[in-house]
Amino acid sequence: MAHVSLSATVTGRDLIRPFRARYGDSRLELIVRLLPSTAYMVAIHLASSIHGGDLPPIAVDDRLAHFVIYFGLAITLMFSAAAFAREQTSPRHYAGAGAIAVTYGAVDELHQRFVPGRTPQLSDLAFDALGAACALVLLYILVEGSRNR
């Protein structure tokens, strides 16, 4: 019977090993791929941290704003997912990007519960998910359509 050590630790090198297999030691390309979605998520978090009474009036419907913001997030997440793809993206990458976008939307709505003047709303999450789904479906159609030509 084999003995398994529970004291094994995961190092930073272990975490980047899959990227080295893809990119060698080119961490710059990995950073460039992950930076847009990370920056986008930080911007969403900062915007949702603004006190409800300090929010500037917007000329568009709140639902449309949620749709557009998460449409953009899904696109940046697919750009990041391409860093994980060996040769080309697959439906699994699209599903992962969608799951991350919706999960981030849910966490953002929960976060708003703790921001004065803001309230979490399921309808906001629904439009976040709808925006992300529309972006991913559109990207899938465009990418797969261009591959089949």
Side-chain angles (χ1 to χ4, degrees), residues 103-121:
T103 301
Y104 193 77
V107 169
D108 184 55
E109 288 302 315
L110 180 64
H111 162 250
Q112 288 183 25
R113 183 173 188 263
F114 303 101
V115 177
R118 305 290 294 268
T119 57
Q121 296 181 334

Side-chain angles (χ1 to χ4, degrees), residues 31-81:
I31 290 168
V32 167
R33 288 284 189 166
L34 296 176
L35 189 61
S37 55
T38 303
Y40 207 99
M41 289 175 159
V42 168
I44 291 171
H45 179 76
L46 292 174
S48 70
S49 296
I50 298 172
H51 185 285
D54 295 338
L55 288 172
I58 57 173
V60 297
D61 187 328
D62 181 54
R63 296 171 294 195
L64 178 61
H66 279 269
F67 179 92
V68 169
I69 290 167
Y70 280 81
F71 188 98
L73 177 60
I75 290 172
T76 64
L77 287 168
M78 275 309 296
F79 181 76
S80 296

Side-chain angles (χ1 to χ4, degrees), residues 127-140:
F127 280 93
D128 296 345
L130 185 61
C134 287
L136 295 170
V137 167
L138 180 63
L139 276 175
Y140 186 79

Side-chain angles (χ1 to χ4, degrees), residues 8 19 30 32 62 83 86 88 92 111 121-122 144:
F19 302 110
L30 175 63
V32 167
D62 181 54
R86 294 272 181 216
Q88 63 187 22
R92 185 187 76 200
H111 162 250
Q121 296 181 334
L122 229 67
E144 290 303 312

